[in-house]
Amino acid sequence: MSKQLLIDAYRGKRTDSAPWVPYSGVHCAFLINEKADDFLKSPELLAKGVVHTAKQYKADGIPLLFDLSVEASSVGCELKWWEDNVPSVSTHPCSDKTPEQAGLTIPTKDSGRWPTVYEAAKIAKPQLDELDCAMMGLICGPLTLASHLAGVRIFTDVYKHPDFAQEVLTYAGQVCEAAAKFYVEMGCDIIAIVDPVASQIRDTTFHEFVTPHCQPAIKVIHDADLTSSFFICGDCTRVMDEVCKLGTHGFAIDEQLNMNFIRDKAREYGLGFGGNLKLTLSLSLGLISPREDAIVSLAAGGSHGYTFAPG
Amino acid sequence: MQEAGLKRPSQDTPKKNNFIGDWHVADEKIQVDVLTLDSVQCAACGYMMESMAAMPDEVQSLIVYKEWSVKNKTGVGKFMELKGKVLPSIAIEGDIVFPSIIPQYEELIDEMAKRAKTPELAAKLKAARDKGFQFDKVTENLANAGSGQNTRVDS
């Protein structure tokens, strides 16, 4: 386990071997025989699960929390909880009004579930440090947060009502900035903006509606001299150049992209990159050998800015 | 798996004047299949599903839609059958129309209208083009479509 190895890879540097990050999320709850909703609501269980998982998987880094509803629930979105999954956002306060009209304010560390996250970090951080494992803070990205706030209409509004979309996204960017500050305060070593729905739009839309609203959070991370990344899911081929131009130290993608393509993009822009293990086809369904999949990923990723991780 | 607003007529039910039992309209409904990883876990998948669940009442009565998660073998089978390439994707009447792109409201209406089985159905869909998304029944519609209910490996 090596925190520095991971930070070097995330920053696009050469490493002796590829570091490894399990994006364990509520799998941590499974490993400690707890229900996902109980795990996410208890700082003690959160910390216990994360530390246990880091030890079991000999991780070089691990997310403190992988739950993209924290920011949304801290500003008024209601959640549906699941025993074996992350909560889903069930109401959208900006479905018919702007954030200002809805009376939304920027969350503080006392808002919503943030006190639970702070407390979990306080318990987990020293134990992860002892393991030489990086603690990672994951922020819900601006477009995903805007979707939580306004619902699916945001994907129409970016074309039909761009002023409304910009208002929602500007607010979302400010919430991301606040979340970045929280994770800095908690002592995270790496902070990533996680914007899975940003793969579902055109590159020009990404440039206009995602790129600017990531900048406040990226500035917070870099001003604290921490390492930044941008996680995106799905087939993000059409927006990859925009992802590379965001200004983060690196990015991570999922199993749907070709690792050789991603490696070459990362090298072209001098960035760290990771992900791509076949979470569904291999680890979940067993349609592909996990061992062979891992070997293919390691061979393609190499040891120049690459982090071995699920997609 | 329950399908929103759909009750299939019995194969034995006599067909008269385009009526099959009582289910004339149901038979003409537009079939939409949403291929996902998991609409709870994956935000993009969730908003693909919501693009259907937030269709206004006028449209809800004209469509049936269902989530197919590749976390189980039935979902993988549907993914193969529809020749899916990426997740999430929306298929309308068996055509993959929105692969890894969350559609705009009007795009969805237009693509469904193109594939309507009758001119009357196409006209009804086009008439809803200016309505826009409706969010007050999203939770109920998602539940009816089995969203998040069939995303386990053993489901």
Side-chain angles (χ1 to χ4, degrees):
Chain A
M1 297 166 80
S2 171
K3 184 192 295 188
Q4 192 58 49
L5 188 74
L6 181 66
I7 289 170
D8 286 348
Y10 260 60
R11 288 182 175 242
K13 296 179 184 172
R14 289 187 182 278
T15 52
D16 289 338
S17 61
W20 137 251
V21 173
Y23 300 129
S24 39
V26 293
H27 177 63
C28 298
F30 171 78
L31 291 179
I32 59 167
N33 296 313
E34 295 289 346
K35 291 174 182 169
D37 49 354
D38 293 340
F39 164 77
L40 291 170
K41 289 173 182 175
S42 159
E44 292 78 17
L45 291 179
L46 252 175
K48 180 184 171 186
V50 167
V51 172
H52 175 88
T53 305
K55 276 183 195 165
Q56 178 154 334
Y57 289 146
K58 298 181 174 56
D60 296 303
I62 193 163
L64 173 64
L65 182 69
F66 205 143
D67 174 358
L68 302 184
S69 72
V70 174
E71 289 82 357
S73 63
S74 74
V75 297
C77 293
E78 292 172 20
L79 301 183
K80 178 175 171 56
W81 289 87
W82 304 80
E83 288 186 356
D84 60 353
N85 218 331
V86 286
S88 41
V89 171
S90 58
T91 59
H92 310 300
C94 299
S95 65
D96 58 355
K97 48 178 87 79
T98 64
E100 188 181 356
Q101 289 164 345
L104 302 187
T105 56
I106 304 302
T108 69
K109 59 185 180 183
D110 296 319
S111 305
R113 297 159 57 206
W114 284 113
T116 303
V117 186
Y118 264 89
E119 186 58 26
K122 194 174 158 188
I123 302 167
K125 174 67 174 165
Q127 297 179 65
L128 293 174
D129 278 346
E130 200 173 316
L131 295 168
D132 198 16
C133 176
M135 185 168 83
M136 302 169 66
L138 306 189
I139 302 168
C140 177
L143 188 59
T144 301
L145 182 54
S147 316
H148 292 338
L149 293 168
V152 71
R153 64 167 287 183
I154 199 75
F155 299 95
T156 301
D157 288 327
V158 292
Y159 302 105
K160 300 282 180 186
H161 307 105
D163 292 344
F164 172 82
Q166 282 292 7
E167 276 196 64
V168 177
L169 275 144
T170 298
Y171 172 74
Q174 291 167 349
V175 176
C176 293
E177 180 185 23
K181 287 177 183 169
F182 300 159
Y183 283 123
V184 169
E185 267 190 19
M186 287 179 220
C188 289
D189 304 290
I190 295 169
I191 301 176
I193 299 167
V194 186
D195 214 344
V197 304
S199 61
Q200 308 297 307
I201 55 175
R202 298 182 179 98
D203 57 347
T204 49
T205 314
F206 188 105
H207 182 77
E208 189 177 353
F209 290 93
V210 178
T211 302
H213 304 298
C214 288
Q215 299 312 310
I218 294 171
K219 184 172 188 309
V220 167
I221 302 164
H222 291 179
D223 283 353
D225 204 22
L226 296 176
T227 304
S228 63
S229 189
F230 184 84
F231 293 2
I232 188 164
C233 299
D235 178 11
C236 54
T237 312
R238 62 182 162 259
V239 299
M240 265 323 296
D241 281 302
E242 290 300 325
V243 168
C244 290
K245 292 175 192 168
L246 271 173
T248 53
H249 291 118
F251 61 85
I253 45 86
D254 82 3
E255 66 184 275
Q256 298 191 54
L257 291 193
N258 178 294
M259 187 50 115
N260 291 337
F261 166 73
I262 286 305
R263 177 201 59 211
D264 292 346
K265 278 285 169 208
R267 297 270 169 80
E268 181 186 340
Y269 288 93
L271 301 174
F273 65 107
N276 202 231
L277 280 175
K278 307 289 181 280
L279 193 63
T280 312
L281 293 176
S282 170
L283 297 176
S284 179
L285 293 170
L287 299 175
I288 295 174
S289 156
R291 183 174 177 275
E292 286 173 21
D293 176 40
I295 290 169
V296 168
S297 264
L298 284 165
S303 56
H304 187 169
Y306 170 61
T307 298
F308 185 69
Chain B
M1 192 179 289
Q2 189 179 355
E3 298 177 358
L6 176 67
K7 288 180 182 174
R8 287 283 180 210
S10 158
Q11 295 288 329
D12 307 329
T13 310
K15 186 172 181 178
K16 295 177 186 173
N17 301 325
N18 292 329
F19 279 82
I20 303 175
D22 292 333
W23 307 114
H24 177 243
V25 176
D27 194 43
E28 288 184 346
K29 286 184 176 183
I30 301 280
Q31 175 73 43
V32 179
D33 297 297
V34 185
L35 306 176
T36 71
L37 169 64
D38 173 343
S39 64
V40 173
Q41 186 179 37
C42 158
C45 303
Y47 287 108
M48 280 280 196
M49 277 303 292
E50 190 176 286
S51 69
M52 299 312 305
M55 280 282 147
D57 290 339
E58 296 89 326
V59 177
Q60 291 292 335
S61 61
L62 308 174
I63 60 177
V64 287
Y65 49 96
K66 182 171 173 178
E67 175 179 11
W68 299 91
S69 164
V70 297
K71 281 187 171 178
N72 61 58
K73 289 184 180 171
T74 316
V76 173
K78 180 57 79 171
F79 187 85
M80 306 281 281
E81 178 195 326
L82 293 173
K83 297 184 172 59
K85 289 183 179 168
V86 291
L87 291 173
S89 291
I90 291 179
I92 303 173
E93 289 292 320
D95 299 331
I96 299 280
V97 183
F98 298 107
S100 208
I101 188 148
I102 298 176
Q104 297 173 52
Y105 174 79
E106 291 86 353
E107 288 177 327
L108 254 177
I109 293 286
D110 291 347
E111 293 297 337
M112 290 193 291
K114 271 187 209 171
R115 292 164 177 80
K117 293 173 183 117
T118 65
E120 292 78 15
L121 183 57
K124 283 182 185 174
L125 283 164
K126 284 177 186 166
R129 205 173 183 278
D130 296 328
K131 292 293 291 185
F133 287 118
Q134 179 184 328
F135 290 94
D136 59 334
K137 293 179 183 165
V138 165
T139 304
E140 178 187 334
N141 291 338
L142 285 174
N144 286 339
S147 178
Q149 301 293 333
N150 298 285
T151 55
R152 284 80 176 163
V153 173
D154 57 355
S155 60

